[in-house]
Amino acid sequence: SPALRRSLGAAGVRVEVASDDTPLVEEPAVMPLLEALRVVVNLDNDDPAHPDHVGVDRAEALLSSPLAGLDAGDVRVLARQLRARDRVGAAAQDRSPTPSPVLLREALLDPDRTAGLDGRGASRTTALSRLLHTTRRRLDEGGTTEEVLWELWAGTDWPARLHRSVQAGGGAARMAHRDLDAVCALFEVAARTEEQRGHTSAAAFLDTLIDLMQLTRPLLDLGFQASFNVRFSATISPFG
């Protein structure tokens, strides 16, 4: 949407979208956003046999992605906290304890599961879970795929972390610039899909993304100069 493009505002890092040998859908910065979008679309999908069901592997991958910003140690600490709480409940209910991967999945899908837990892992998981549900409401209210992707991106501190990497210079800056290029290219694909096809659902966008990338590849192969500036500090991140 034009309003969204204007909000990719004026705070300092110019990005240029140019082609290379890596398909956009496989860019490290794009994959977490697409997975998060898939989770948002499938928050109410209770069929484990469905290919888009949010299973334990998908949930743990999202917790370990830049959107949550958790490292392996953070995830282990959170899993221990969840297990300790679950053991109390299991004893009271005379049931077997719930496996850690299932507890982590439940924590991602339901922010109440981490209520009362301290630490970085719990706070960031709670924030991401709330963001997923907020974004789902935006989707249900008619938000476009571009708007929903933006909300997932801007609702975390990932943009700020990339900004700091850019300012640090060196190899980290080069990698951060590449990530920003890829994210802005994804926004452009989503926006142009909306313009060319009318209101396309997020689920349809995900299902046909490879075809969409083929349609937009000529644009990228021309070295399209995306006059996007990424907004880093205009909002306060919910992540600590």
Side-chain angles (χ1 to χ4, degrees), residues 20-219:
D20 64 9
D21 293 333
T22 305
L24 183 59
V25 293
E26 296 177 10
E27 284 286 350
V30 167
M31 293 172 67
L33 284 167
L34 294 180
E35 276 301 295
L37 180 61
R38 197 176 296 278
V39 169
V40 167
V41 171
N42 288 277
L43 277 175
D44 55 357
N45 183 344
D46 296 325
D47 181 7
H50 193 283
D52 291 337
H53 178 257
V54 185
V56 295
D57 291 340
R58 179 164 281 155
E60 189 162 355
L62 197 56
L63 287 175
S64 301
S65 77
L67 288 169
L70 301 183
D71 59 28
D74 295 326
V75 174
R76 284 195 297 271
V77 170
L78 176 60
R80 283 199 298 270
Q81 291 175 305
L82 293 169
R83 282 198 310 271
R85 173 180 286 179
D86 182 69
R87 280 196 296 269
V88 175
Q93 299 165 21
D94 193 24
R95 61 171 173 81
S96 299
T98 306
S100 292
V102 175
L103 293 172
L104 289 169
R105 173 187 179 273
E106 292 173 347
L108 176 67
L109 299 182
D110 181 358
D112 291 339
R113 299 284 181 154
T114 48
L117 298 181
D118 297 325
R120 171 185 167 89
S123 63
R124 284 180 166 265
T125 299
T126 302
L128 181 56
S129 181
R130 288 174 177 164
L131 176 63
L132 294 173
H133 284 275
T134 298
T135 308
R136 175 55 185 263
R137 287 193 293 273
R138 177 68 172 271
L139 190 64
D140 290 342
E141 292 166 359
T144 67
T145 300
E146 183 193 10
E147 290 167 344
V148 170
L149 285 169
W150 169 255
E151 191 156 332
L152 288 168
W153 161 258
T156 76
D157 68 348
W158 187 13
R161 283 184 274 128
L162 287 176
H163 189 204
R164 289 194 293 271
S165 294
V166 167
Q167 292 179 320
R174 287 191 295 273
M175 292 178 64
H177 273 297
R178 181 188 178 102
D179 286 347
L180 292 169
D181 292 350
V183 168
C184 286
L186 177 62
F187 291 149
E188 181 66 15
V189 169
R192 286 180 176 266
T193 301
E194 192 76 18
E195 292 167 1
Q196 293 169 3
R197 299 191 175 190
H199 188 74
T200 301
S201 72
F205 178 78
L206 288 166
D207 288 343
T208 61
L209 191 57
I210 299 300
D211 290 339
L212 294 173
M213 288 311 304
Q214 291 173 349
L215 288 172
T216 55
R217 176 57 63 184
L219 169 71

